[in-house]
Amino acid sequence: DVGQLSTMTEAGSKREINPVAEMENWKSAVTKEQQVAGAFESNWGYLRARPEECKPRAYETRLVKYFSGANATVKEKRLALEGEARGDTPMTPQAEKVTEDPQELNRRMAASMYRTTACEYGSRGSLGLFGA
């Protein structure tokens, strides 16, 4: 019969599926989902923040470069602003800001550029030990 669907059960026997019963099962599942969604606020609503407690989010768009092997692509990325840039924290007073000397910063960067993690070069033996 064209109106009847059949499937194989675990035992290997055919079980007839009635399309009307399938529709009733679907309606029952949808009704249950709607009931659960309606009861969400009373059961779990206390976990949700009140709208007046939510801070507005600020974003900016920046170009970001992605590397894949020898290829590089540039895409626009939307980034959330944090802290002072977002405007939800008070500005740090100028007297409390730490100013870095650009020359000292460059000196420290140059000194650390070619340093190994162990801070030693040639700490291992020669490859001549292995007959290379």
Side-chain angles (χ1 to χ4, degrees):
D1 187 18
V2 177
Q4 297 289 324
L5 301 173
S6 64
T7 72
M8 299 293 284
T9 61
E10 293 175 7
S13 64
K14 285 192 173 187
R15 179 176 64 112
E16 297 297 322
I17 298 174
N18 184 349
V20 176
E22 285 292 316
M23 184 55 70
E24 289 300 318
N25 290 341
W26 176 253
K27 285 181 185 178
S28 173
V30 170
T31 303
K32 180 68 176 169
E33 279 291 320
Q34 289 173 338
Q35 289 172 351
V36 169
F40 176 85
E41 192 63 38
S42 61
N43 292 335
W44 301 100
Y46 65 92
L47 294 173
R48 187 181 299 166
R50 293 184 192 94
E52 61 271 7
E53 293 174 351
C54 296
K55 296 176 183 173
R57 294 183 180 169
Y59 295 94
E60 67 179 347
T61 303
R62 289 190 183 174
L63 291 177
V64 180
K65 188 181 282 188
Y66 293 96
F67 293 97
S68 174
N71 299 330
T73 57
V74 177
K75 294 182 179 179
E76 277 193 7
K77 186 89 172 166
R78 189 172 171 223
L79 303 171
L81 295 175
E82 295 293 329
E84 290 180 5
R86 191 164 111 180
D88 63 344
T89 58
M91 297 290 285
T92 305
Q94 192 63 31
E96 293 180 17
K97 288 187 177 182
V98 177
T99 56
E100 292 231 13
D101 180 24
Q103 292 174 343
E104 174 65 18
L105 185 62
N106 287 339
R107 187 191 65 72
R108 281 192 287 156
M109 285 180 59
S112 67
M113 194 174 297
Y114 299 107
R115 187 181 308 166
T116 63
T117 54
C119 298
E120 292 181 15
Y121 290 104
S123 62
R124 295 186 181 199
S126 168
L127 287 179
L129 296 173
F130 303 103

